[in-house]
Amino acid sequence: MTVQVEYTEDLQMIMESARDFAENYIRPHVMEWDESQHFPVDVFRKMGEYGFMGILVPEIYGGAGLGYQEYITILEEISKVCGSIGLSLAAHNSLCTNHILSFANEEQKHQYLPKLASGEWIGAWGLTEPNTGSDAGRMKCVAQKDGDYYILNGAKNFITHGISGNVAVVIARTGELLDSHGMTAFVVERGTPGFKAGKKENKLGMRASETAEMIFENCRIHKSQILGQEGEGFVQALKILDGGRISIAALSLGIAKGAYEAAKAYSKEREQFGKPISSFQAISFKLADMATKIEASELLTRKAGNLKDKGERVTKVSAMAKYYASETAVEVANEGIQIHGGYGYIKDFPAEKFYRDAKLCTIGEGTSEIQKLVISRHILKE
């Protein structure tokens, strides 16, 4: 299933490269990693060789220098096979790496981007805290100024690569509570005294993508580790989440397509009452709904990517894409199980994993409810 995107020769090659990578390096291990909650760091190093760890990073910093259409395509192909690997790839590219690319000075960019883009380093991004999810303005992780240093204390949770990340972008409070200009973004390297990993979460889905706490106890960070200016962290984070929502839309799209393709193939093979179940309207109409919603999700996601590539404002459309594609992924995965019947509930078939993985897409990087808040605010201003 394709949308009316201009599949140039280059984009077609990138799609095939990502598809081949997923088939060769990911598919054979999907259930093994899921069952054991293994985060396959070596696979991400390998993805670095393919240019997938610095997709949007310009070549001057060691990246692939590609745009959002290529980014969406790569994420989609990886996520069709494994949502966990797609999620980690999205978080590395769109959160940590993109924050440094968007707001770091030249020295910081040359210091960190080549390592992140090559896959030598894996990136983490810390905004969420145990008591502040959607309400990030009340964060309790504080960075107190001490001469040329800041002393960071507090914890971040639900952090992708909270244990394995070699470097983290951390947003901490440097001003008053609820002041949108009272937060600052810092780059903190693993091994910095006072920075340690906490509990790894035991999750419903996305189990091969590492999610853990990051804990800071009197962690001294030099002022040279600030991204941009003091007080800009929260505003920067909101801009990063705009692009991040395109990532989650692409991730959702991949999961939805994977679930749909598995269900369609099964419906053609499975026979009841002497014929394939795909010939029954009850099943074929489900497939029609799934296909239509996937097509609409892709159009929204590609539109958001197009706006981003042009440097235009993307907040409303990226929220729409993320909201619609993530809800579609859940619906398609659910119907995928229904089409498989009893086999959909068994781990020998891929349907149940798509179902478990899809749900996170409606929660991470802003819940569906937050997306509706963003969309409604924008449409009521228009």
Side-chain angles (χ1 to χ4, degrees):
M1 183 186 304
T2 57
V3 74
Q4 295 307 308
V5 180
E6 291 201 26
Y7 269 90
T8 60
E9 201 175 322
D10 285 351
L11 193 56
Q12 188 72 31
M13 278 173 58
I14 286 162
M15 181 176 77
E16 287 166 10
S17 172
R19 186 173 291 172
D20 289 348
F21 186 94
E23 290 299 329
N24 292 323
Y25 296 102
I26 300 172
R27 193 180 293 281
H29 311 287
V30 167
M31 289 312 293
E32 169 202 333
W33 293 340
D34 183 76
E35 296 276 305
S36 64
Q37 301 190 66
H38 172 65
F39 176 57
V41 174
D42 55 327
V43 170
F44 289 87
R45 304 256 189 273
K46 192 78 183 165
M47 280 201 272
E49 294 173 25
Y50 278 68
F52 299 164
M53 295 294 272
I55 301 169
L56 302 166
V57 175
E59 291 176 27
I60 188 176
Y61 306 118
L66 300 171
Y68 270 81
Q69 297 305 334
E70 292 85 357
Y71 182 43
I72 291 164
T73 299
I74 292 165
L75 266 182
E76 180 194 311
E77 290 300 328
I78 299 292
S79 305
K80 270 189 202 173
V81 173
C82 182
S84 292
I85 305 304
L87 173 64
S88 275
L89 187 62
H92 171 90
N93 273 282
S94 76
L95 297 179
C96 178
T97 305
N98 198 40
H99 199 136
I100 293 170
L101 176 63
S102 301
F103 298 107
N105 59 40
E106 282 302 312
E107 188 181 340
Q108 292 166 330
K109 286 180 186 178
H110 283 287
Q111 184 176 354
Y112 294 111
L113 291 176
K115 289 177 180 173
L116 289 163
S118 67
E120 180 189 342
W121 278 17
I122 289 169
W125 192 76
L127 179 66
T128 302
E129 296 183 5
N131 297 306
T132 58
S134 301
D135 185 14
R138 294 180 196 271
M139 67 171 57
K140 291 178 179 170
C141 190
V142 174
Q144 270 189 314
K145 204 164 183 349
D146 179 27
D148 285 344
Y149 287 84
Y150 288 78
I151 313 298
L152 187 57
N153 280 289
K156 298 288 180 182
N157 78 330
F158 298 143
I159 306 304
T160 308
H161 316 142
I163 296 167
S164 299
N166 303 88
V167 65
V169 173
V170 181
I171 292 93
R173 195 153 57 78
T174 48
E176 295 303 310
L177 201 66
L178 296 177
D179 177 5
S180 63
H181 293 283
M183 287 163 266
T184 302
F186 298 89
V187 185
V188 189
E189 291 182 31
R190 185 73 59 185
T192 304
F195 172 25
K196 64 179 185 180
K199 174 191 168 198
K200 180 177 175 177
E201 303 298 346
N202 184 5
K203 308 193 300 286
L204 167 72
M206 302 291 198
R207 288 167 62 84
S209 177
E210 179 187 279
T211 305
E213 285 180 305
M214 296 192 302
I215 298 165
F216 302 93
E217 292 174 348
N218 295 322
C219 181
R220 285 173 68 80
I221 307 163
H222 193 264
K223 64 182 182 183
S224 63
Q225 297 303 102
I226 291 175
L227 292 173
Q229 301 298 315
E230 182 179 317
E232 291 179 351
F234 187 62
V235 177
Q236 290 174 5
L238 293 180
K239 288 178 181 169
I240 292 303
L241 287 170
D242 274 354
R245 286 171 183 145
I246 300 173
S247 300
I248 303 300
L251 170 66
S252 305
L253 187 61
I255 292 171
K257 284 190 180 184
Y260 164 78
E261 286 168 9
K264 186 170 75 167
Y266 180 82
S267 74
K268 290 176 173 179
E269 292 162 11
R270 173 73 167 169
E271 290 193 359
Q272 292 289 274
F273 309 103
K275 53 187 175 180
I277 62 170
S278 59
S279 64
F280 297 105
Q281 197 176 75
I283 302 301
S284 64
F285 275 22
K286 282 186 192 296
L287 291 167
D289 281 339
M290 292 156 84
T292 303
K293 287 180 179 178
I294 288 169
E295 194 85 1
S297 298
E298 180 152 16
L299 284 165
L300 265 174
T301 305
R302 296 284 181 184
K303 180 179 179 179
N306 192 36
L307 290 172
K308 192 80 175 145
D309 278 338
K310 288 178 176 174
E312 293 179 23
R313 182 125 196 215
V314 76
T315 307
K316 181 184 81 172
V317 178
S318 69
M320 285 178 164
K322 195 270 189 193
Y323 165 55
Y324 192 80
S326 65
E327 293 291 344
T328 294
V330 171
E331 191 178 329
V332 168
N334 184 39
E335 291 287 41
I337 286 189
Q338 200 68 16
I339 289 168
H340 278 79
Y343 290 109
Y345 210 69
I346 291 171
K347 288 183 182 285
D348 293 346
F349 288 77
E352 63 85 32
K353 183 176 181 295
F354 286 122
Y355 182 74
R356 288 185 291 108
D357 287 350
K359 187 59 202 167
L360 182 74
C361 298
T362 69
I363 298 168
E365 294 196 36
T367 61
S368 290
E369 291 72 22
I370 288 292
Q371 304 313 319
K372 288 195 228 183
L373 188 69
V374 171
I375 295 161
S376 60
R377 280 178 180 168
H378 274 77
I379 60 176
L380 291 169
K381 277 185 202 164
E382 289 170 356

Short mmCIF file of all heavy atoms in Angstrom, two decimals, residues 251-305:
data_model
loop_
_atom_site.label_atom_id
_atom_site.label_comp_id
_atom_site.label_asym_id
_atom_site.label_seq_id
_atom_site.Cartn_x
_atom_site.Cartn_y
_atom_site.Cartn_z
N LEU A 251 6.03 5.71 13.24
CA LEU A 251 6.09 4.46 14.01
C LEU A 251 4.73 3.78 14.01
O LEU A 251 4.61 2.57 13.75
CB LEU A 251 6.53 4.79 15.44
CG LEU A 251 6.46 3.71 16.51
CD1 LEU A 251 7.44 2.59 16.20
CD2 LEU A 251 6.76 4.30 17.88
N SER A 252 3.68 4.56 14.27
CA SER A 252 2.30 4.04 14.29
C SER A 252 1.92 3.49 12.93
O SER A 252 1.29 2.42 12.82
CB SER A 252 1.31 5.16 14.66
OG SER A 252 1.66 5.77 15.89
N LEU A 253 2.30 4.21 11.90
CA LEU A 253 2.01 3.81 10.52
C LEU A 253 2.64 2.46 10.21
O LEU A 253 2.00 1.57 9.62
CB LEU A 253 2.54 4.89 9.58
CG LEU A 253 2.22 4.79 8.10
CD1 LEU A 253 0.72 4.83 7.86
CD2 LEU A 253 2.89 5.95 7.36
N GLY A 254 3.90 2.29 10.62
CA GLY A 254 4.59 1.02 10.40
C GLY A 254 3.92 -0.13 11.13
O GLY A 254 3.71 -1.21 10.55
N ILE A 255 3.56 0.10 12.39
CA ILE A 255 2.88 -0.95 13.18
C ILE A 255 1.54 -1.30 12.54
O ILE A 255 1.19 -2.48 12.40
CB ILE A 255 2.71 -0.50 14.65
CG1 ILE A 255 4.08 -0.41 15.34
CG2 ILE A 255 1.78 -1.44 15.41
CD1 ILE A 255 4.06 0.24 16.72
N ALA A 256 0.79 -0.27 12.15
CA ALA A 256 -0.52 -0.50 11.52
C ALA A 256 -0.38 -1.29 10.23
O ALA A 256 -1.13 -2.24 9.98
CB ALA A 256 -1.21 0.84 11.25
N LYS A 257 0.62 -0.93 9.40
CA LYS A 257 0.82 -1.65 8.14
C LYS A 257 1.24 -3.09 8.40
O LYS A 257 0.80 -4.02 7.71
CB LYS A 257 1.87 -0.94 7.28
CG LYS A 257 1.34 0.31 6.60
CD LYS A 257 2.34 0.84 5.58
CE LYS A 257 1.81 2.09 4.88
NZ LYS A 257 2.70 2.57 3.83
N GLY A 258 2.12 -3.28 9.39
CA GLY A 258 2.54 -4.64 9.73
C GLY A 258 1.37 -5.50 10.17
O GLY A 258 1.22 -6.65 9.72
N ALA A 259 0.51 -4.94 11.02
CA ALA A 259 -0.66 -5.67 11.53
C ALA A 259 -1.66 -5.96 10.41
O ALA A 259 -2.23 -7.06 10.31
CB ALA A 259 -1.33 -4.86 12.64
N TYR A 260 -1.85 -4.97 9.54
CA TYR A 260 -2.78 -5.11 8.41
C TYR A 260 -2.29 -6.18 7.43
O TYR A 260 -3.05 -7.04 6.99
CB TYR A 260 -2.92 -3.76 7.70
CG TYR A 260 -3.52 -3.81 6.31
CD1 TYR A 260 -4.90 -3.95 6.13
CD2 TYR A 260 -2.71 -3.72 5.18
CE1 TYR A 260 -5.44 -4.00 4.86
CE2 TYR A 260 -3.25 -3.77 3.90
CZ TYR A 260 -4.61 -3.92 3.75
OH TYR A 260 -5.15 -3.95 2.48
N GLU A 261 -1.01 -6.12 7.09
CA GLU A 261 -0.46 -7.08 6.12
C GLU A 261 -0.53 -8.51 6.66
O GLU A 261 -0.83 -9.45 5.91
CB GLU A 261 0.96 -6.69 5.73
CG GLU A 261 0.98 -5.47 4.80
CD GLU A 261 2.36 -4.84 4.61
OE1 GLU A 261 3.36 -5.46 5.06
OE2 GLU A 261 2.44 -3.75 4.02
N ALA A 262 -0.26 -8.67 7.95
CA ALA A 262 -0.34 -10.00 8.56
C ALA A 262 -1.78 -10.52 8.55
O ALA A 262 -2.04 -11.69 8.25
CB ALA A 262 0.19 -9.94 10.00
N ALA A 263 -2.73 -9.62 8.85
CA ALA A 263 -4.14 -10.02 8.89
C ALA A 263 -4.66 -10.35 7.49
O ALA A 263 -5.40 -11.33 7.30
CB ALA A 263 -4.98 -8.90 9.50
N LYS A 264 -4.26 -9.55 6.51
CA LYS A 264 -4.72 -9.79 5.13
C LYS A 264 -4.18 -11.13 4.62
O LYS A 264 -4.92 -11.93 4.03
CB LYS A 264 -4.27 -8.64 4.23
CG LYS A 264 -4.82 -8.75 2.81
CD LYS A 264 -4.57 -7.50 1.98
CE LYS A 264 -3.13 -7.39 1.53
NZ LYS A 264 -2.93 -6.37 0.48
N ALA A 265 -2.90 -11.36 4.86
CA ALA A 265 -2.29 -12.63 4.41
C ALA A 265 -2.97 -13.83 5.07
O ALA A 265 -3.30 -14.82 4.41
CB ALA A 265 -0.79 -12.62 4.73
N TYR A 266 -3.22 -13.71 6.39
CA TYR A 266 -3.87 -14.80 7.13
C TYR A 266 -5.28 -15.06 6.59
O TYR A 266 -5.71 -16.20 6.43
CB TYR A 266 -3.91 -14.47 8.62
CG TYR A 266 -4.57 -15.54 9.45
CD1 TYR A 266 -3.85 -16.67 9.86
CD2 TYR A 266 -5.91 -15.45 9.82
CE1 TYR A 266 -4.45 -17.66 10.61
CE2 TYR A 266 -6.53 -16.44 10.56
CZ TYR A 266 -5.80 -17.55 10.96
OH TYR A 266 -6.39 -18.55 11.69
N SER A 267 -6.00 -13.97 6.29
CA SER A 267 -7.40 -14.10 5.85
C SER A 267 -7.51 -14.81 4.50
O SER A 267 -8.53 -15.41 4.18
CB SER A 267 -8.06 -12.72 5.76
OG SER A 267 -7.61 -12.00 4.62
N LYS A 268 -6.44 -14.73 3.71
CA LYS A 268 -6.45 -15.40 2.40
C LYS A 268 -6.09 -16.89 2.53
O LYS A 268 -6.45 -17.71 1.69
CB LYS A 268 -5.44 -14.73 1.46
CG LYS A 268 -5.87 -13.34 1.00
CD LYS A 268 -4.76 -12.74 0.15
CE LYS A 268 -5.18 -11.43 -0.48
NZ LYS A 268 -4.09 -10.83 -1.27
N GLU A 269 -5.36 -17.21 3.62
CA GLU A 269 -4.93 -18.61 3.83
C GLU A 269 -5.93 -19.42 4.66
O GLU A 269 -6.13 -20.60 4.41
CB GLU A 269 -3.57 -18.62 4.55
CG GLU A 269 -2.41 -18.08 3.71
CD GLU A 269 -1.20 -17.68 4.57
OE1 GLU A 269 -1.18 -18.02 5.77
OE2 GLU A 269 -0.29 -17.04 4.03
N ARG A 270 -6.52 -18.78 5.63
CA ARG A 270 -7.41 -19.47 6.57
C ARG A 270 -8.75 -19.80 5.91
O ARG A 270 -9.42 -18.90 5.39
CB ARG A 270 -7.62 -18.57 7.80
CG ARG A 270 -8.64 -19.07 8.80
CD ARG A 270 -8.14 -20.25 9.59
NE ARG A 270 -9.01 -20.51 10.74
CZ ARG A 270 -8.93 -21.62 11.47
NH1 ARG A 270 -8.03 -22.54 11.19
NH2 ARG A 270 -9.72 -21.79 12.50
N GLU A 271 -9.12 -21.05 5.95
CA GLU A 271 -10.39 -21.45 5.35
C GLU A 271 -11.39 -21.86 6.43
O GLU A 271 -11.03 -22.52 7.40
CB GLU A 271 -10.18 -22.60 4.36
CG GLU A 271 -9.45 -22.16 3.11
CD GLU A 271 -9.51 -23.20 1.99
OE1 GLU A 271 -10.11 -24.28 2.21
OE2 GLU A 271 -8.95 -22.92 0.92
N GLN A 272 -12.64 -21.44 6.24
CA GLN A 272 -13.75 -21.89 7.06
C GLN A 272 -14.95 -22.05 6.12
O GLN A 272 -15.09 -21.27 5.16
CB GLN A 272 -14.08 -20.87 8.15
CG GLN A 272 -13.02 -20.74 9.24
CD GLN A 272 -12.93 -21.95 10.15
OE1 GLN A 272 -13.65 -22.09 11.13
NE2 GLN A 272 -12.04 -22.88 9.81
N PHE A 273 -15.77 -23.05 6.39
CA PHE A 273 -16.94 -23.33 5.55
C PHE A 273 -16.54 -23.50 4.09
O PHE A 273 -17.27 -23.12 3.17
CB PHE A 273 -18.01 -22.22 5.70
CG PHE A 273 -18.36 -21.93 7.13
CD1 PHE A 273 -17.85 -20.81 7.77
CD2 PHE A 273 -19.17 -22.80 7.85
CE1 PHE A 273 -18.15 -20.55 9.10
CE2 PHE A 273 -19.49 -22.55 9.18
CZ PHE A 273 -18.98 -21.43 9.82
N GLY A 274 -15.33 -24.03 3.87
CA GLY A 274 -14.90 -24.39 2.53
C GLY A 274 -14.33 -23.27 1.69
O GLY A 274 -14.07 -23.46 0.50
N LYS A 275 -14.10 -22.11 2.28
CA LYS A 275 -13.48 -21.03 1.50
C LYS A 275 -12.68 -20.10 2.39
O LYS A 275 -12.88 -20.07 3.62
CB LYS A 275 -14.52 -20.26 0.70
CG LYS A 275 -15.69 -19.73 1.47
CD LYS A 275 -16.73 -19.15 0.50
CE LYS A 275 -17.98 -18.72 1.24
NZ LYS A 275 -19.00 -18.17 0.34
N PRO A 276 -11.74 -19.29 1.79
CA PRO A 276 -10.92 -18.39 2.61
C PRO A 276 -11.81 -17.38 3.36
O PRO A 276 -12.81 -16.91 2.80
CB PRO A 276 -10.04 -17.66 1.59
CG PRO A 276 -10.10 -18.46 0.35
CD PRO A 276 -11.41 -19.16 0.36
N ILE A 277 -11.44 -17.08 4.59
CA ILE A 277 -12.27 -16.14 5.37
C ILE A 277 -12.28 -14.73 4.77
O ILE A 277 -13.20 -13.95 5.04
CB ILE A 277 -11.85 -16.10 6.87
CG1 ILE A 277 -10.42 -15.59 7.05
CG2 ILE A 277 -12.05 -17.46 7.53
CD1 ILE A 277 -10.05 -15.30 8.51
N SER A 278 -11.30 -14.42 3.91
CA SER A 278 -11.29 -13.10 3.24
C SER A 278 -12.50 -12.94 2.32
O SER A 278 -12.86 -11.82 1.96
CB SER A 278 -10.01 -12.90 2.44
OG SER A 278 -9.88 -13.91 1.46
N SER A 279 -13.13 -14.05 1.92
CA SER A 279 -14.28 -13.96 1.01
C SER A 279 -15.57 -13.62 1.76
O SER A 279 -16.59 -13.35 1.14
CB SER A 279 -14.45 -15.27 0.24
OG SER A 279 -14.76 -16.33 1.13
N PHE A 280 -15.52 -13.65 3.09
CA PHE A 280 -16.70 -13.26 3.88
C PHE A 280 -16.70 -11.75 4.12
O PHE A 280 -15.67 -11.17 4.47
CB PHE A 280 -16.72 -14.01 5.22
CG PHE A 280 -16.84 -15.50 5.06
CD1 PHE A 280 -15.74 -16.32 5.27
CD2 PHE A 280 -18.04 -16.08 4.69
CE1 PHE A 280 -15.84 -17.69 5.12
CE2 PHE A 280 -18.15 -17.45 4.54
CZ PHE A 280 -17.05 -18.26 4.75
N GLN A 281 -17.87 -11.17 3.94
CA GLN A 281 -17.96 -9.71 4.05
C GLN A 281 -17.54 -9.21 5.44
O GLN A 281 -16.95 -8.14 5.56
CB GLN A 281 -19.39 -9.26 3.74
CG GLN A 281 -19.51 -7.78 3.42
CD GLN A 281 -20.92 -7.40 3.02
OE1 GLN A 281 -21.79 -7.30 3.88
NE2 GLN A 281 -21.15 -7.20 1.75
N ALA A 282 -17.84 -9.99 6.47
CA ALA A 282 -17.47 -9.58 7.83
C ALA A 282 -15.97 -9.33 7.95
O ALA A 282 -15.53 -8.43 8.67
CB ALA A 282 -17.89 -10.65 8.84
N ILE A 283 -15.17 -10.11 7.22
CA ILE A 283 -13.72 -9.96 7.24
C ILE A 283 -13.25 -8.93 6.22
O ILE A 283 -12.41 -8.06 6.51
CB ILE A 283 -13.02 -11.32 6.99
CG1 ILE A 283 -13.45 -12.36 8.04
CG2 ILE A 283 -11.49 -11.15 6.99
CD1 ILE A 283 -13.15 -12.00 9.49
N SER A 284 -13.79 -9.01 5.00
CA SER A 284 -13.33 -8.10 3.95
C SER A 284 -13.64 -6.65 4.29
O SER A 284 -12.87 -5.74 3.97
CB SER A 284 -13.93 -8.47 2.59
OG SER A 284 -15.34 -8.33 2.60
N PHE A 285 -14.76 -6.39 4.99
CA PHE A 285 -15.09 -5.02 5.40
C PHE A 285 -14.14 -4.52 6.48
O PHE A 285 -13.80 -3.33 6.51
CB PHE A 285 -16.55 -4.94 5.87
CG PHE A 285 -17.54 -4.75 4.76
CD1 PHE A 285 -17.23 -5.10 3.45
CD2 PHE A 285 -18.81 -4.23 5.02
CE1 PHE A 285 -18.15 -4.93 2.41
CE2 PHE A 285 -19.73 -4.05 3.99
CZ PHE A 285 -19.40 -4.41 2.69
N LYS A 286 -13.71 -5.41 7.34
CA LYS A 286 -12.69 -5.03 8.34
C LYS A 286 -11.42 -4.59 7.63
O LYS A 286 -10.82 -3.56 7.97
CB LYS A 286 -12.35 -6.20 9.28
CG LYS A 286 -13.37 -6.48 10.37
CD LYS A 286 -12.84 -7.57 11.30
CE LYS A 286 -13.90 -8.10 12.24
NZ LYS A 286 -14.41 -7.09 13.18
N LEU A 287 -11.00 -5.38 6.65
CA LEU A 287 -9.78 -5.05 5.89
C LEU A 287 -9.93 -3.73 5.15
O LEU A 287 -8.99 -2.93 5.07
CB LEU A 287 -9.44 -6.19 4.91
CG LEU A 287 -8.98 -7.50 5.55
CD1 LEU A 287 -8.98 -8.63 4.52
CD2 LEU A 287 -7.59 -7.36 6.18
N ALA A 288 -11.14 -3.47 4.63
CA ALA A 288 -11.40 -2.20 3.92
C ALA A 288 -11.25 -1.01 4.87
O ALA A 288 -10.62 0.01 4.52
CB ALA A 288 -12.80 -2.21 3.32
N ASP A 289 -11.79 -1.14 6.07
CA ASP A 289 -11.66 -0.07 7.08
C ASP A 289 -10.20 0.14 7.46
O ASP A 289 -9.73 1.28 7.57
CB ASP A 289 -12.47 -0.41 8.34
CG ASP A 289 -13.96 -0.15 8.18
OD1 ASP A 289 -14.32 0.63 7.28
OD2 ASP A 289 -14.75 -0.75 8.94
N MET A 290 -9.50 -0.95 7.68
CA MET A 290 -8.09 -0.88 8.07
C MET A 290 -7.27 -0.17 6.99
O MET A 290 -6.50 0.76 7.27
CB MET A 290 -7.53 -2.29 8.31
CG MET A 290 -8.12 -2.98 9.54
SD MET A 290 -8.03 -4.80 9.44
CE MET A 290 -6.39 -5.12 10.03
N ALA A 291 -7.47 -0.59 5.74
CA ALA A 291 -6.71 -0.02 4.62
C ALA A 291 -6.98 1.47 4.46
O ALA A 291 -6.07 2.26 4.21
CB ALA A 291 -7.05 -0.77 3.33
N THR A 292 -8.24 1.86 4.60
CA THR A 292 -8.63 3.27 4.43
C THR A 292 -8.00 4.14 5.51
O THR A 292 -7.45 5.22 5.22
CB THR A 292 -10.16 3.41 4.47
OG1 THR A 292 -10.72 2.59 3.45
CG2 THR A 292 -10.58 4.86 4.25
N LYS A 293 -8.04 3.68 6.75
CA LYS A 293 -7.50 4.48 7.85
C LYS A 293 -5.97 4.57 7.78
O LYS A 293 -5.38 5.58 8.15
CB LYS A 293 -7.97 3.92 9.19
CG LYS A 293 -9.44 4.24 9.41
CD LYS A 293 -10.00 3.72 10.71
CE LYS A 293 -11.46 4.14 10.80
NZ LYS A 293 -12.10 3.65 12.01
N ILE A 294 -5.34 3.50 7.30
CA ILE A 294 -3.88 3.53 7.11
C ILE A 294 -3.52 4.55 6.04
O ILE A 294 -2.58 5.34 6.20
CB ILE A 294 -3.35 2.12 6.77
CG1 ILE A 294 -3.39 1.22 8.00
CG2 ILE A 294 -1.92 2.20 6.23
CD1 ILE A 294 -3.14 -0.26 7.71
N GLU A 295 -4.27 4.55 4.95
CA GLU A 295 -4.01 5.50 3.86
C GLU A 295 -4.14 6.94 4.35
O GLU A 295 -3.30 7.80 4.06
CB GLU A 295 -5.00 5.24 2.71
CG GLU A 295 -4.64 5.90 1.42
CD GLU A 295 -3.66 5.13 0.54
OE1 GLU A 295 -3.25 4.02 0.92
OE2 GLU A 295 -3.30 5.65 -0.52
N ALA A 296 -5.21 7.21 5.12
CA ALA A 296 -5.41 8.55 5.67
C ALA A 296 -4.29 8.93 6.64
O ALA A 296 -3.81 10.07 6.63
CB ALA A 296 -6.76 8.62 6.39
N SER A 297 -3.85 7.97 7.45
CA SER A 297 -2.75 8.21 8.40
C SER A 297 -1.47 8.57 7.66
O SER A 297 -0.73 9.47 8.05
CB SER A 297 -2.48 6.96 9.25
OG SER A 297 -3.60 6.62 10.02
N GLU A 298 -1.22 7.85 6.56
CA GLU A 298 0.01 8.11 5.81
C GLU A 298 -0.02 9.49 5.16
O GLU A 298 0.97 10.21 5.16
CB GLU A 298 0.26 7.03 4.75
CG GLU A 298 1.53 7.31 3.98
CD GLU A 298 2.25 6.10 3.42
OE1 GLU A 298 1.66 5.02 3.34
OE2 GLU A 298 3.44 6.25 3.06
N LEU A 299 -1.18 9.87 4.61
CA LEU A 299 -1.29 11.19 3.99
C LEU A 299 -1.03 12.30 5.00
O LEU A 299 -0.31 13.26 4.72
CB LEU A 299 -2.67 11.36 3.35
CG LEU A 299 -2.84 10.62 2.01
CD1 LEU A 299 -4.32 10.53 1.64
CD2 LEU A 299 -2.08 11.32 0.90
N LEU A 300 -1.59 12.17 6.21
CA LEU A 300 -1.36 13.17 7.26
C LEU A 300 0.10 13.20 7.68
O LEU A 300 0.69 14.28 7.87
CB LEU A 300 -2.23 12.84 8.49
CG LEU A 300 -3.57 13.54 8.62
CD1 LEU A 300 -4.34 12.96 9.82
CD2 LEU A 300 -3.41 15.05 8.78
N THR A 301 0.69 12.02 7.83
CA THR A 301 2.09 11.93 8.27
C THR A 301 3.02 12.53 7.22
O THR A 301 3.95 13.29 7.54
CB THR A 301 2.46 10.46 8.56
OG1 THR A 301 1.52 9.92 9.51
CG2 THR A 301 3.86 10.35 9.13
N ARG A 302 2.79 12.18 5.96
CA ARG A 302 3.61 12.72 4.87
C ARG A 302 3.43 14.23 4.74
O ARG A 302 4.39 14.95 4.44
CB ARG A 302 3.24 12.03 3.55
CG ARG A 302 3.54 10.54 3.52
CD ARG A 302 5.02 10.27 3.35
NE ARG A 302 5.32 8.84 3.29
CZ ARG A 302 6.54 8.35 3.21
NH1 ARG A 302 7.59 9.16 3.18
NH2 ARG A 302 6.75 7.06 3.18
N LYS A 303 2.21 14.72 4.96
CA LYS A 303 1.97 16.17 4.90
C LYS A 303 2.78 16.88 5.98
O LYS A 303 3.41 17.91 5.73
CB LYS A 303 0.48 16.48 5.08
CG LYS A 303 0.18 17.97 5.02
CD LYS A 303 -1.30 18.29 5.18
CE LYS A 303 -1.52 19.79 5.14
NZ LYS A 303 -2.95 20.16 5.28
N ALA A 304 2.77 16.31 7.20
CA ALA A 304 3.55 16.90 8.29
C ALA A 304 5.03 16.90 7.96
O ALA A 304 5.74 17.90 8.19
CB ALA A 304 3.30 16.13 9.59
N GLY A 305 5.52 15.80 7.38
CA GLY A 305 6.92 15.72 6.98
C GLY A 305 7.27 16.74 5.91
O GLY A 305 8.35 17.35 5.93
#
